[in-house]
Amino acid sequence: MTDKTRQYAHLKSRHCSAVLELSDHEAPLWRYWGPRLPDGALPDFSLRDARATPTFSLEEDVPLSLFPTFGVGWFGSSALLAHREGQDFAQAMTGCEIIWLKQDHALRVRMTDPVASLVVEIDLGLAPETDVLTVSTKLTNMGSGVLDVQWLAAAVLPLPTQAKTVRSYTGRHNSEFVMQETALTRGIWRRENRRGLTSHDAFPGAVTSASAADAHSGLSYGAQLAWSGNHAQLIEWLEDGRYQWQLGEWLAPGEVRLGLGESLQTPEVLATCSLAGRNGVAAGFHKAIRSRLTWPDAEMSPRLVGINTWEGVYFDLKPSTLFEMAAAAAEAGIERFVLDDGWFQGRRSDRAGLGDWWTDLSVFPEGLGPLAKYVNDLGMDFGLWVEPEMINPDSELFRAHPEWALQIADRPLLTARNQLVLDLTRPEVSAYLLDKIGSLLDDLPIAYLKWDHNRDLTTAGSLGRPAYRRQTQAAYALMDEIRQRWPKVEIEACAGGGGRIDAGVLQRTHRVWTSDCIDAISRVAIQRGFLQFFPPEVMGAHVGASPAHSTGRSQSMDFRAAVAMPGHFGVELDLRQLNLAESETLKGWINLYKAHRDQLHHGQVWLGEGDDSVLWQAHGQADDLLIFVYRLGPMTQKWPSNLILPMVDEDKVYRVEEVRARPSLHAAAAPVFDDYRSKGVDLHGAWLAQQGLPLPPRQAETCLIYWVRTLDQLS
Ligand code: GLA
């Protein structure tokens, strides 16, 4: 019997295992990543011992490794594309050392290529409590010639032969997280983003599933890159029937040129697998993101109900209007008032002002102090919108420093929304922003910054070199510095809604603005895509006006609020325009959100599809669930199908109660539905899981909320 501890590195978590086959003269081979294997389950033979040499093949078999490289026997996509003035274009790791950082859970693989003079270090960690595998890679040039790097995978992950489909997310401004499902074939599936920030149209992650998997069961895998810049991912079929999944930064030509001793460190990849389908993958991601969030005072405080002025009044800011809005907000039970775009020097429209981060005294003759104080006196936090990385050509800053915009000599500057991007890689630019934003944070009682980024990067050069990754790093550094100096301030990441949603920005911010589209029907789909990767407490979700500004569609206040309720709830409309009934309805929802936010924001999320235009999601724990049943379209059945609840405990009895924001005007259509509302209905978990919860008929664009708890929870 061989000594398995020497032959393998087995990373373990509660539900997952990752197994590498080790040798000291090559990169570790991927043997397994999937559901947890018991100790003693690893075979005695090596991978190659179970592979015969096929015809027309190398005598030297080169299977998938943790770091497969081009040119010396590996014919798949390379984890590294690099050269030194056309030389050292082929690499092979021939030295390998394993350093356990935490036995069974985290290790560093240190590999060397003495011919190409490279050192590669890959850190892998499999967190026992989250089931999420974290991988990052560092490449160091040990040679004297400059190493040009075109691609360095942050992670190379193996997918089993059962993987059949990949769900990825595309979209645009106002329509983020459009899910598309693609069959994996004998070829390469690939997504790339070259927009300079995370992007609306190519989310840096995906979910792959076996054909039998669905939302609740079966084998699914997920991965996402924790990075807010350019990125690429590919899934490639391999000749042994497996796939490799690579994720990393997309590098511009010439962007990374390593001198002697210099290194390239990739961002991290978060990856997980589950036998509980896509919801199992989401559960792992939610736990991992929660463990990486950095809250003021260490713990997440209850997510305050906010009001944002943008869709309420846009650029039409007047102190008197804002005072009235603040008073109405406090009266409605709102806890945070966020003054959006339009408050600073020269910013009367989106044509001017970005860069001039001081209060426009022509609008606020006494500054923002009185408004902030009024807001605080009403018992609300004060928040402020900024867009630090941007500059309008029509601004004092640009007139003084046109060279501060990202640019390429002799190329025209391309504006988007009339703005250019500041070159944050210049220390004087970051220092200027720190000074200006710092003055605001020092002078005003700001508890919350909404940090926007309203365009893609073009001509992103700095001193003649590509500046994409350095720009992202500089933005992170600025956020980190602000967090460190003003640790109580929370930050919301926004980029025209959801253009910068990723696990990298969420290590330094506290929520994202999910989309500029607040149409509740559109939001159902957007939020379901979001929740595949991120937990609900960081999902900015507002009640907007009706008709919705982005789509022109109208929905009831109840439906708009029910769609926003699971996220970080807020309001984005002019409260002064609501009639009494609408105000009362909204107040009811604000109270309901406050009553349930702890449950919503600490629990697991299950997304499900009912029949006949019903989508649902459950939040909480298996014994204590809040279930949102959204009916998107009109009924085509006479009686609604029962709602199957696969996550409940089949050995327990549950009480089902309908939760409402206000007394309903409509009588229920059958005795059981009355009971849901009055005293609750007891149903066995096995019945709920197998036969399902009877649902009342409803009109389109309505939501019912059920609180489903075991009787133990009630006692
Ligand atoms: C972006 C944001 C909006 C709002 C505007 C202000 O579009 O996504 O929420 O802040 O900018 O200009």
Side-chain angles (χ1 to χ4, degrees):
M1 186 107 158
T2 45
D3 178 355
K4 287 193 205 165
T5 54
R6 231 183 306 136
Q7 195 180 344
Y8 294 117
H10 183 177
L11 291 157
K12 302 164 191 172
S13 68
R14 195 156 158 235
H15 297 110
C16 300
S17 284
V19 180
L20 296 167
E21 181 177 314
L22 307 177
S23 139
D24 57 10
H25 59 269
E26 65 176 346
L29 302 181
W30 265 121
R31 281 305 285 272
Y32 179 81
W33 174 43
R36 176 77 152 90
L37 299 173
D39 293 341
L42 309 185
D44 285 343
F45 54 85
S46 72
L47 180 60
R48 291 189 182 91
D49 282 347
R51 289 157 65 104
T53 306
T55 56
F56 199 80
S57 296
L58 300 175
E59 263 76 51
E60 173 70 26
D61 177 15
V62 184
L64 178 67
S65 76
L66 187 61
F67 197 70
T69 45
F70 169 72
V72 192
W74 173 252
F75 297 107
S77 291
S78 181
L80 176 66
L81 292 174
H83 66 94
R84 262 192 205 90
E85 303 238 357
Q87 304 202 339
D88 291 330
F89 59 92
Q91 301 90 22
M93 300 295 127
T94 52
C96 179
E97 189 189 346
I98 303 292
I99 303 138
W100 281 97
L101 305 171
K102 197 167 173 211
Q103 192 59 41
D104 292 343
H105 303 305
L107 56 78
R108 174 166 302 157
V109 179
R110 188 172 189 282
M111 293 169 286
T112 48
D113 177 349
V115 177
S117 303
L118 305 176
V119 172
V120 173
E121 288 163 298
I122 301 183
D123 282 359
L124 291 103
L126 182 51
E129 61 289 352
T130 67
D131 295 311
V132 168
L133 182 67
T134 307
V135 188
S136 64
T137 300
K138 183 177 167 190
L139 168 72
T140 305
N141 177 18
M142 306 301 284
S144 50
V146 168
L147 186 78
D148 264 291
V149 184
Q150 185 191 328
W151 170 247
L152 175 65
V156 175
L157 301 165
L159 286 173
T161 194
Q162 301 98 297
K164 292 292 176 240
T165 56
V166 54
R167 281 187 168 208
S168 64
Y169 294 84
T170 175
R172 52 159 292 182
H173 176 234
N174 275 327
S175 181
E176 293 82 348
F177 287 103
V178 175
M179 193 276 287
Q180 56 183 355
E181 193 166 79
T182 315
L184 291 173
T185 58
R186 292 190 174 203
I188 296 184
W189 171 90
R190 186 174 181 92
R191 299 295 310 276
E192 289 185 0
N193 164 47
R194 293 172 287 276
R195 293 181 185 276
L197 80 166
T198 320
S199 87
H200 294 86
D201 64 315
F203 177 74
V207 174
T208 62
S209 295
S211 45
D214 60 16
H216 312 287
S217 66
L219 183 58
S220 285
Y221 290 80
Q224 56 175 312
L225 186 71
W227 179 244
S228 311
N230 291 330
H231 54 80
Q233 54 172 332
L234 66 88
I235 299 177
E236 180 177 39
W237 185 79
L238 305 176
E239 288 183 295
D240 58 11
R242 294 186 293 169
Y243 302 83
Q244 65 158 333
W245 191 352
Q246 293 192 9
L247 300 96
E249 250 183 278
W250 183 91
L251 300 173
E255 182 158 23
V256 174
R257 307 190 75 226
L258 301 177
L260 174 64
E262 287 181 344
S263 297
L264 171 62
Q265 171 68 61
T266 70
E268 286 177 323
V269 168
L270 310 184
T272 190
C273 71
S274 176
L275 285 171
R278 296 187 298 271
N279 287 330
V281 168
F285 279 147
H286 292 190
K287 285 187 213 152
I289 297 288
R290 282 174 175 159
S291 73
R292 294 158 65 94
L293 287 163
T294 52
W295 296 106
D297 301 324
E299 286 278 299
M300 180 180 78
S301 53
R303 302 292 73 211
L304 299 182
V305 180
I307 184 163
N308 181 294
T309 57
W310 181 240
E311 289 206 358
V313 287
Y314 292 104
F315 286 110
D316 191 14
L317 301 185
K318 292 187 194 76
S320 56
T321 310
L322 297 168
F323 276 68
E324 283 172 27
M325 286 177 85
E331 217 278 312
I334 288 172
E335 300 160 307
R336 173 178 285 150
F337 183 91
V338 181
L339 177 58
D340 207 277
D341 198 355
W343 59 268
F344 49 94
Q345 183 64 37
R347 187 69 168 173
R348 303 285 64 74
S349 74
D350 67 9
R351 287 186 294 280
L354 290 170
D356 298 344
W357 298 113
W358 55 91
T359 309
D360 193 328
L361 297 180
S362 73
V363 182
F364 299 95
E366 295 170 66
L368 290 178
L371 175 64
K373 179 171 184 319
Y374 185 65
V375 164
N376 285 167
D377 288 348
L378 289 166
M380 295 185 291
D381 269 6
F382 181 69
L384 194 64
W385 181 95
V386 288
E387 199 182 357
E389 289 125 302
M390 296 298 152
I391 182 168
N392 283 118
D394 185 359
S395 65
E396 292 186 23
L397 185 65
F398 190 78
R399 283 183 281 276
H401 289 292
E403 74 284 8
W404 280 13
L406 282 171
Q407 53 197 279
I408 299 173
D410 302 325
R411 301 241 173 246
L413 291 169
L414 304 176
T415 52
R417 205 192 190 204
N418 313 301
Q419 63 201 55
L420 300 168
V421 184
L422 279 171
D423 180 356
L424 264 62
T425 72
R426 298 171 78 117
E428 64 275 26
V429 174
S430 284
Y432 168 85
L433 292 171
L434 186 62
D435 177 57
K436 287 287 171 276
I437 296 169
S439 299
L440 293 164
L441 293 169
D442 281 340
D443 296 348
L444 295 164
I446 295 171
Y448 183 88
L449 279 179
K450 177 176 172 185
W451 186 306
D452 216 332
H453 185 301
N454 277 321
R455 61 159 294 172
D456 299 329
L457 269 56
T458 50
T459 64
S462 177
L463 304 174
R465 297 284 311 279
Y468 290 95
R469 70 186 311 264
R470 287 184 289 140
Q471 176 79 0
T472 303
Q473 287 170 328
Y476 283 171
L478 186 59
M479 288 178 189
D480 292 344
E481 185 71 27
I482 287 173
R483 289 292 315 281
Q484 207 209 322
R485 294 204 197 177
W486 294 272
K488 298 277 182 208
V489 176
E490 287 192 12
I491 301 179
E492 169 178 27
C494 176
R500 184 152 60 182
I501 299 180
D502 59 79
V505 84
L506 277 168
Q507 271 185 290
R508 33 194 62 86
T509 56
H510 306 95
R511 76 166 212 170
V512 293
W513 180 224
T514 317
S515 177
D516 274 352
C517 177
I518 324 183
D519 175 308
I521 287 282
S522 306
R523 270 294 181 125
V524 169
I526 294 170
Q527 293 181 178
R528 288 167 78 86
F530 179 96
L531 290 169
Q532 179 65 62
F533 300 94
F534 306 103
E537 62 270 26
V538 297
M539 179 176 78
H542 291 176
V543 178
S546 180
H549 295 186
S550 51
T551 63
R553 288 194 292 209
S554 299
Q555 294 117 15
S556 69
M557 178 67 80
D558 280 328
F559 188 63
R560 283 175 277 155
V563 170
M565 183 169 154
H568 182 177
F569 184 89
V571 176
E572 189 160 339
L573 48 76
D574 188 350
L575 288 171
R576 300 170 307 164
Q577 310 291 328
L578 299 185
N579 64 35
L580 193 61
E582 288 170 325
S583 298
E584 287 306 308
T585 304
L586 182 58
K587 253 192 238 177
W589 281 98
I590 289 171
N591 288 334
L592 192 66
Y593 165 79
K594 288 179 181 171
H596 289 280
R597 61 184 156 193
D598 275 354
Q599 183 184 9
L600 289 165
H601 295 163
H602 290 100
Q604 193 175 331
V605 180
W606 292 265
L607 301 176
E609 291 177 22
D611 272 340
D612 201 20
S613 303
V614 166
L615 293 176
W616 60 269
Q617 61 198 56
H619 295 252
Q621 313 301 335
D623 57 357
D624 187 356
L625 294 155
L626 212 54
I627 301 179
F628 294 75
V629 186
Y630 298 111
R631 165 162 291 292
L632 302 188
M635 288 172 57
T636 63
Q637 300 179 187
K638 282 194 177 180
W639 292 276
S641 305
N642 289 350
L643 195 74
I644 304 290
L645 298 178
M647 81 297 286
V648 297
D649 185 338
E650 297 198 29
D651 295 324
K652 297 269 170 67
V653 176
Y654 285 78
R655 171 134 331 142
V656 179
E657 294 161 285
E658 190 183 321
V659 173
R660 280 159 301 140
R662 61 189 170 120
S664 171
L665 306 174
H666 305 288
V672 166
F673 308 140
D674 277 335
D675 290 347
Y676 285 157
R677 291 173 173 209
S678 51
K679 53 188 167 78
V681 174
D682 291 352
L683 281 164
H684 199 281
W687 187 265
L688 290 170
Q690 304 301 336
Q691 178 60 19
L693 180 73
L695 291 178
R698 300 288 294 177
Q699 289 195 309
E701 299 176 11
T702 54
C703 177
L704 288 170
I705 306 175
Y706 294 103
W707 198 353
V708 178
R709 284 175 285 180
T710 59
L711 298 187
D712 316 342
Q713 282 288 325
L714 286 160
S715 57

